[in-house]
Amino acid sequence: NYIQQEQNKRELKVLVKKDNKNKYFKPHSKEIIIDNKKLYVITFDEITDEYIKILDLTTEASTDQLTKLFNRRRLDNVLTKEMELSCFTKAPLSIIFIDIDHFKLVNDTFGHGAGDKVLIDLAKIITSTTRKSDFIARWGGEEFMIALQSTDVNEASSLAEKLRVTVQEYAF
């Protein structure tokens, strides 16, 4: 019995879709013997609310609250996996590091609200200019990183220049 074997090794979940709503259940299997026949009783506990809370907390823990991009913690995890994948597939991996020059001056002159708006707008520019498969994260205060799987240095340089020009021309 698969459930019997797997329930102690890992967290099992069953997704049931009904009326466009997802419901999550945790299966439990118990072996019983009746008349020398092995039978399994399977029960399902609904864990929808708990599972959604876990997903929400996981998202919150890996997302920069201001820009809604991934945060540095998530970047560190993903970057390690991206580098391993690049080595395994022999495909190039490029990284673009973005730092806003003189950002402190923006905050000091116009206030932190204006600085926050600049960061939000920059995050939107980066997101709209890159591919969906690219991994974008806020590295630090005014620093961002983009991981570009299967992208050589020429393609990455071209994208970086396109981002630079777009940012230069944007009316913050």
Side-chain angles (χ1 to χ4, degrees):
N1 180 304
Y2 173 80
I3 295 174
Q4 183 76 28
Q5 294 171 0
E6 294 296 316
Q7 69 185 356
N8 295 324
K9 293 182 191 174
R10 58 194 174 109
E11 193 72 26
L12 298 176
K13 288 179 283 310
V14 175
L15 168 62
V16 176
K17 290 187 175 209
K18 184 177 180 185
D19 299 328
N20 286 331
K21 290 187 179 181
N22 291 345
K23 296 282 187 176
Y24 297 91
F25 297 88
K26 180 177 182 178
H28 303 278
S29 177
K30 178 138 176 97
E31 182 181 292
I32 60 172
I33 299 175
I34 299 176
D35 296 331
N36 291 328
K37 291 183 182 178
K38 193 183 292 186
L39 302 170
Y40 296 94
V41 175
I42 301 172
T43 59
F44 294 88
D45 293 332
E46 185 176 354
I47 58 168
T48 303
D49 292 341
E50 294 86 356
Y51 186 65
I52 288 172
K53 284 179 189 173
I54 289 169
L55 291 176
D56 289 345
L57 289 171
T58 301
T59 299
E60 187 177 316
S62 64
T63 304
D64 174 63
Q65 292 301 307
L66 181 66
T67 62
K68 307 302 181 216
L69 297 175
F70 290 112
N71 62 19
R72 185 172 182 168
R73 179 183 307 128
R74 179 67 189 268
L75 174 68
D76 290 344
N77 293 335
V78 169
L79 208 48
T80 299
K81 291 176 183 162
E82 292 282 342
M83 288 187 291
E84 290 170 357
L85 179 63
S86 178
C87 289
F88 179 76
T89 62
K90 306 290 188 241
L93 171 67
S94 294
I95 304 293
I96 296 175
F97 187 82
I98 299 169
D99 179 73
I100 303 174
D101 292 338
H102 313 293
F103 185 71
K104 184 179 180 325
L105 187 60
V106 173
N107 282 334
D108 290 348
T109 305
F110 302 104
H112 288 278
D116 288 351
K117 178 80 169 97
V118 168
L119 294 172
I120 292 166
D121 287 353
L122 181 58
K124 289 177 183 175
I125 290 169
I126 295 169
T127 302
S128 67
T129 307
T130 55
R131 304 171 296 193
K132 294 227 183 280
S133 61
D134 296 334
F135 186 84
I136 308 161
R138 185 170 173 201
W139 174 258
E142 78 280 3
E143 301 161 330
F144 298 82
M145 282 187 79
I146 308 167
L148 307 160
Q149 191 60 256
S150 299
T151 305
D152 66 28
V153 67
N154 293 328
E155 294 169 309
S157 293
S158 176
L159 176 60
E161 179 60 16
K162 181 178 178 182
L163 281 166
R164 187 194 67 74
V165 169
T166 302
V167 170
Q168 180 179 330
E169 294 173 352
Y170 186 82
F172 287 94

